[in-house]
PDB file of all heavy atoms in Angstrom:
ATOM      1  N   TYR A  14     240.354  -3.588 -61.768  1.00  0.00           N
ATOM      2  CA  TYR A  14     239.154  -2.982 -62.169  1.00  0.00           C
ATOM      3  C   TYR A  14     239.085  -3.284 -63.734  1.00  0.00           C
ATOM      4  O   TYR A  14     239.732  -2.366 -64.383  1.00  0.00           O
ATOM      5  CB  TYR A  14     239.069  -1.503 -61.816  1.00  0.00           C
ATOM      6  CG  TYR A  14     239.144  -1.245 -60.371  1.00  0.00           C
ATOM      7  CD1 TYR A  14     240.314  -0.780 -59.859  1.00  0.00           C
ATOM      8  CD2 TYR A  14     238.010  -1.306 -59.537  1.00  0.00           C
ATOM      9  CE1 TYR A  14     240.508  -0.506 -58.518  1.00  0.00           C
ATOM     10  CE2 TYR A  14     238.225  -1.069 -58.232  1.00  0.00           C
ATOM     11  CZ  TYR A  14     239.382  -0.627 -57.748  1.00  0.00           C
ATOM     12  OH  TYR A  14     239.613  -0.207 -56.334  1.00  0.00           O
ATOM     13  N   ILE A  17     242.301  -2.509 -65.810  1.00  0.00           N
ATOM     14  CA  ILE A  17     243.186  -1.687 -65.015  1.00  0.00           C
ATOM     15  C   ILE A  17     243.635  -2.638 -63.813  1.00  0.00           C
ATOM     16  O   ILE A  17     242.883  -2.997 -63.007  1.00  0.00           O
ATOM     17  CB  ILE A  17     242.592  -0.342 -64.298  1.00  0.00           C
ATOM     18  CG1 ILE A  17     242.084   0.464 -65.566  1.00  0.00           C
ATOM     19  CG2 ILE A  17     243.566   0.301 -63.482  1.00  0.00           C
ATOM     20  CD1 ILE A  17     241.265   1.619 -64.990  1.00  0.00           C
ATOM     21  N   LYS A  18     245.048  -2.831 -63.852  1.00  0.00           N
ATOM     22  CA  LYS A  18     245.533  -3.662 -62.704  1.00  0.00           C
ATOM     23  C   LYS A  18     245.917  -2.678 -61.542  1.00  0.00           C
ATOM     24  O   LYS A  18     246.864  -2.037 -61.616  1.00  0.00           O
ATOM     25  CB  LYS A  18     246.863  -4.365 -63.193  1.00  0.00           C
ATOM     26  CG  LYS A  18     246.562  -5.275 -64.438  1.00  0.00           C
ATOM     27  CD  LYS A  18     246.686  -6.717 -64.172  1.00  0.00           C
ATOM     28  CE  LYS A  18     246.383  -7.436 -65.382  1.00  0.00           C
ATOM     29  NZ  LYS A  18     244.901  -7.345 -65.966  1.00  0.00           N
ATOM     30  N   ALA A  19     245.086  -2.826 -60.533  1.00  0.00           N
ATOM     31  CA  ALA A  19     245.378  -1.787 -59.394  1.00  0.00           C
ATOM     32  C   ALA A  19     246.351  -2.477 -58.348  1.00  0.00           C
ATOM     33  O   ALA A  19     247.193  -1.728 -57.792  1.00  0.00           O
ATOM     34  CB  ALA A  19     244.003  -1.639 -58.793  1.00  0.00           C
ATOM     35  N   LEU A  20     246.313  -3.748 -58.095  1.00  0.00           N
ATOM     36  CA  LEU A  20     247.130  -4.387 -57.171  1.00  0.00           C
ATOM     37  C   LEU A  20     247.923  -5.495 -57.897  1.00  0.00           C
ATOM     38  O   LEU A  20     247.273  -6.315 -58.488  1.00  0.00           O
ATOM     39  CB  LEU A  20     246.337  -4.978 -55.983  1.00  0.00           C
ATOM     40  CG  LEU A  20     245.555  -4.060 -55.105  1.00  0.00           C
ATOM     41  CD1 LEU A  20     244.945  -4.777 -54.030  1.00  0.00           C
ATOM     42  CD2 LEU A  20     246.351  -2.823 -54.589  1.00  0.00           C
ATOM     43  N   GLY A  37     251.821   6.347 -49.788  1.00  0.00           N
ATOM     44  CA  GLY A  37     252.091   6.130 -51.255  1.00  0.00           C
ATOM     45  C   GLY A  37     251.453   7.163 -51.941  1.00  0.00           C
ATOM     46  O   GLY A  37     250.538   7.919 -51.362  1.00  0.00           O
ATOM     47  N   ALA A  38     251.867   7.319 -53.200  1.00  0.00           N
ATOM     48  CA  ALA A  38     251.222   8.483 -54.059  1.00  0.00           C
ATOM     49  C   ALA A  38     249.745   8.270 -54.502  1.00  0.00           C
ATOM     50  O   ALA A  38     249.202   7.126 -54.136  1.00  0.00           O
ATOM     51  CB  ALA A  38     252.048   8.690 -55.248  1.00  0.00           C
ATOM     52  N   ASN A  39     249.135   9.218 -55.019  1.00  0.00           N
ATOM     53  CA  ASN A  39     247.802   9.029 -55.466  1.00  0.00           C
ATOM     54  C   ASN A  39     247.763   7.818 -56.508  1.00  0.00           C
ATOM     55  O   ASN A  39     248.634   7.783 -57.335  1.00  0.00           O
ATOM     56  CB  ASN A  39     247.296  10.436 -56.177  1.00  0.00           C
ATOM     57  CG  ASN A  39     247.120  11.402 -55.108  1.00  0.00           C
ATOM     58  OD1 ASN A  39     247.660  12.526 -55.341  1.00  0.00           O
ATOM     59  ND2 ASN A  39     246.466  11.206 -54.136  1.00  0.00           N
ATOM     60  N   GLY A  40     246.755   7.089 -56.464  1.00  0.00           N
ATOM     61  CA  GLY A  40     246.592   6.069 -57.318  1.00  0.00           C
ATOM     62  C   GLY A  40     247.560   4.881 -57.170  1.00  0.00           C
ATOM     63  O   GLY A  40     247.674   4.011 -57.968  1.00  0.00           O
ATOM     64  N   ALA A  41     248.292   4.814 -55.982  1.00  0.00           N
ATOM     65  CA  ALA A  41     249.264   3.733 -55.785  1.00  0.00           C
ATOM     66  C   ALA A  41     248.467   2.327 -55.438  1.00  0.00           C
ATOM     67  O   ALA A  41     249.075   1.428 -55.645  1.00  0.00           O
ATOM     68  CB  ALA A  41     250.182   4.019 -54.702  1.00  0.00           C
ATOM     69  N   GLY A  42     247.294   2.432 -54.965  1.00  0.00           N
ATOM     70  CA  GLY A  42     246.432   1.332 -54.773  1.00  0.00           C
ATOM     71  C   GLY A  42     246.154   1.003 -53.308  1.00  0.00           C
ATOM     72  O   GLY A  42     245.760  -0.053 -52.872  1.00  0.00           O
ATOM     73  N   LYS A  43     246.371   2.156 -52.496  1.00  0.00           N
ATOM     74  CA  LYS A  43     246.164   2.059 -51.125  1.00  0.00           C
ATOM     75  C   LYS A  43     244.626   1.721 -50.715  1.00  0.00           C
ATOM     76  O   LYS A  43     244.453   0.748 -50.059  1.00  0.00           O
ATOM     77  CB  LYS A  43     246.470   3.360 -50.309  1.00  0.00           C
ATOM     78  CG  LYS A  43     248.034   3.797 -50.604  1.00  0.00           C
ATOM     79  CD  LYS A  43     248.525   5.137 -50.023  1.00  0.00           C
ATOM     80  CE  LYS A  43     247.621   6.299 -50.350  1.00  0.00           C
ATOM     81  NZ  LYS A  43     247.818   6.704 -51.866  1.00  0.00           N
ATOM     82  N   SER A  44     243.780   2.579 -51.256  1.00  0.00           N
ATOM     83  CA  SER A  44     242.298   2.372 -50.908  1.00  0.00           C
ATOM     84  C   SER A  44     241.914   0.962 -51.502  1.00  0.00           C
ATOM     85  O   SER A  44     241.173   0.147 -50.836  1.00  0.00           O
ATOM     86  CB  SER A  44     241.482   3.402 -51.639  1.00  0.00           C
ATOM     87  OG  SER A  44     241.825   4.690 -51.175  1.00  0.00           O
ATOM     88  N   THR A  45     242.457   0.623 -52.727  1.00  0.00           N
ATOM     89  CA  THR A  45     242.131  -0.746 -53.284  1.00  0.00           C
ATOM     90  C   THR A  45     242.481  -1.866 -52.297  1.00  0.00           C
ATOM     91  O   THR A  45     241.782  -2.894 -52.069  1.00  0.00           O
ATOM     92  CB  THR A  45     242.811  -0.799 -54.664  1.00  0.00           C
ATOM     93  OG1 THR A  45     242.384   0.341 -55.439  1.00  0.00           O
ATOM     94  CG2 THR A  45     242.222  -2.097 -55.250  1.00  0.00           C
ATOM     95  N   THR A  46     243.672  -1.655 -51.753  1.00  0.00           N
ATOM     96  CA  THR A  46     244.173  -2.707 -50.789  1.00  0.00           C
ATOM     97  C   THR A  46     243.296  -2.888 -49.659  1.00  0.00           C
ATOM     98  O   THR A  46     242.834  -3.978 -49.307  1.00  0.00           O
ATOM     99  CB  THR A  46     245.520  -2.256 -50.227  1.00  0.00           C
ATOM    100  OG1 THR A  46     246.485  -2.036 -51.305  1.00  0.00           O
ATOM    101  CG2 THR A  46     246.079  -3.409 -49.263  1.00  0.00           C
ATOM    102  N   GLU A  86     237.572   5.742 -47.237  1.00  0.00           N
ATOM    103  CA  GLU A  86     238.006   7.088 -47.746  1.00  0.00           C
ATOM    104  C   GLU A  86     236.789   7.875 -48.084  1.00  0.00           C
ATOM    105  O   GLU A  86     235.821   7.551 -48.634  1.00  0.00           O
ATOM    106  CB  GLU A  86     238.863   6.806 -49.021  1.00  0.00           C
ATOM    107  CG  GLU A  86     239.518   8.049 -49.647  1.00  0.00           C
ATOM    108  CD  GLU A  86     240.376   7.796 -50.812  1.00  0.00           C
ATOM    109  OE1 GLU A  86     240.305   6.620 -51.368  1.00  0.00           O
ATOM    110  OE2 GLU A  86     241.222   8.590 -51.186  1.00  0.00           O
ATOM    111  N   ASP A 162     241.149   4.847 -43.931  1.00  0.00           N
ATOM    112  CA  ASP A 162     241.598   5.312 -45.074  1.00  0.00           C
ATOM    113  C   ASP A 162     241.663   6.835 -45.215  1.00  0.00           C
ATOM    114  O   ASP A 162     240.496   7.473 -45.084  1.00  0.00           O
ATOM    115  CB  ASP A 162     240.691   4.754 -46.292  1.00  0.00           C
ATOM    116  CG  ASP A 162     241.453   4.904 -47.589  1.00  0.00           C
ATOM    117  OD1 ASP A 162     242.368   5.615 -47.661  1.00  0.00           O
ATOM    118  OD2 ASP A 162     241.015   4.174 -48.620  1.00  0.00           O
ATOM    119  N   GLU A 163     242.835   7.346 -44.959  1.00  0.00           N
ATOM    120  CA  GLU A 163     242.987   8.858 -45.003  1.00  0.00           C
ATOM    121  C   GLU A 163     242.017   9.586 -44.090  1.00  0.00           C
ATOM    122  O   GLU A 163     241.206  10.433 -44.472  1.00  0.00           O
ATOM    123  CB  GLU A 163     242.793   9.361 -46.392  1.00  0.00           C
ATOM    124  CG  GLU A 163     243.732   8.732 -47.366  1.00  0.00           C
ATOM    125  CD  GLU A 163     244.050   9.501 -48.639  1.00  0.00           C
ATOM    126  OE1 GLU A 163     243.693  10.689 -48.657  1.00  0.00           O
ATOM    127  OE2 GLU A 163     244.601   8.848 -49.674  1.00  0.00           O
ATOM    128  N   VAL A 194     245.908   4.196 -43.640  1.00  0.00           N
ATOM    129  CA  VAL A 194     246.463   4.706 -44.933  1.00  0.00           C
ATOM    130  C   VAL A 194     246.429   6.190 -44.825  1.00  0.00           C
ATOM    131  O   VAL A 194     245.505   6.796 -44.298  1.00  0.00           O
ATOM    132  CB  VAL A 194     245.513   4.192 -46.119  1.00  0.00           C
ATOM    133  CG1 VAL A 194     245.646   4.991 -47.189  1.00  0.00           C
ATOM    134  CG2 VAL A 194     245.642   2.790 -46.374  1.00  0.00           C
ATOM    135  N   GLN A 196     248.048  10.114 -46.629  1.00  0.00           N
ATOM    136  CA  GLN A 196     248.816  10.942 -47.405  1.00  0.00           C
ATOM    137  C   GLN A 196     249.817  11.688 -46.625  1.00  0.00           C
ATOM    138  O   GLN A 196     250.918  11.985 -47.140  1.00  0.00           O
ATOM    139  CB  GLN A 196     247.805  11.985 -48.229  1.00  0.00           C
ATOM    140  CG  GLN A 196     246.926  11.367 -49.200  1.00  0.00           C
ATOM    141  CD  GLN A 196     247.665  10.975 -50.462  1.00  0.00           C
ATOM    142  OE1 GLN A 196     248.750  11.573 -50.690  1.00  0.00           O
ATOM    143  NE2 GLN A 196     247.048  10.112 -51.226  1.00  0.00           N
TER     144      GLN A 196
HETATM  145  N1  ATP C 501     236.242   1.915 -59.403  1.00  0.00           N
HETATM  146  C1  ATP C 501     237.274   1.910 -60.119  1.00  0.00           C
HETATM  147  N2  ATP C 501     237.251   1.744 -61.365  1.00  0.00           N
HETATM  148  C2  ATP C 501     238.369   1.770 -62.224  1.00  0.00           C
HETATM  149  N3  ATP C 501     239.631   1.971 -61.733  1.00  0.00           N
HETATM  150  C3  ATP C 501     239.709   2.284 -60.447  1.00  0.00           C
HETATM  151  C4  ATP C 501     238.544   2.260 -59.513  1.00  0.00           C
HETATM  152  N4  ATP C 501     239.013   2.599 -58.327  1.00  0.00           N
HETATM  153  C5  ATP C 501     240.253   2.786 -58.449  1.00  0.00           C
HETATM  154  N5  ATP C 501     240.764   2.627 -59.682  1.00  0.00           N
HETATM  155  C6  ATP C 501     242.119   2.762 -60.036  1.00  0.00           C
HETATM  156  O1  ATP C 501     242.970   1.884 -59.354  1.00  0.00           O
HETATM  157  C7  ATP C 501     244.223   2.530 -58.981  1.00  0.00           C
HETATM  158  C8  ATP C 501     244.407   2.538 -57.540  1.00  0.00           C
HETATM  159  O2  ATP C 501     243.451   3.377 -56.923  1.00  0.00           O
HETATM  160  P1  ATP C 501     243.296   3.586 -55.426  1.00  0.00           P
HETATM  161  O3  ATP C 501     242.010   4.206 -55.152  1.00  0.00           O
HETATM  162  O4  ATP C 501     243.599   2.271 -54.693  1.00  0.00           O
HETATM  163  O5  ATP C 501     244.501   4.579 -55.126  1.00  0.00           O
HETATM  164  P2  ATP C 501     244.990   5.363 -53.725  1.00  0.00           P
HETATM  165  O6  ATP C 501     246.375   4.832 -53.583  1.00  0.00           O
HETATM  166  O7  ATP C 501     243.936   5.012 -52.726  1.00  0.00           O
HETATM  167  O8  ATP C 501     244.998   6.763 -54.134  1.00  0.00           O
HETATM  168  P3  ATP C 501     244.682   8.048 -53.331  1.00  0.00           P
HETATM  169  O9  ATP C 501     245.805   8.306 -52.438  1.00  0.00           O
HETATM  170  O10 ATP C 501     244.509   9.143 -54.378  1.00  0.00           O
HETATM  171  O11 ATP C 501     243.325   7.843 -52.652  1.00  0.00           O
HETATM  172  C9  ATP C 501     244.133   3.915 -59.689  1.00  0.00           C
HETATM  173  O12 ATP C 501     244.900   3.898 -60.883  1.00  0.00           O
HETATM  174  C10 ATP C 501     242.736   4.025 -59.916  1.00  0.00           C
HETATM  175  O13 ATP C 501     242.440   4.841 -61.140  1.00  0.00           O
END
Side-chain angles (χ1 to χ4, degrees):
Chain A
Y14 300 100
I17 301 170
K18 306 250 176 296
L20 303 184
N39 291 128
K43 306 181 296 294
S44 300
T45 309
T46 305
E86 184 173 17
D162 201 342
E163 305 202 16
V194 165
Q196 288 288 339

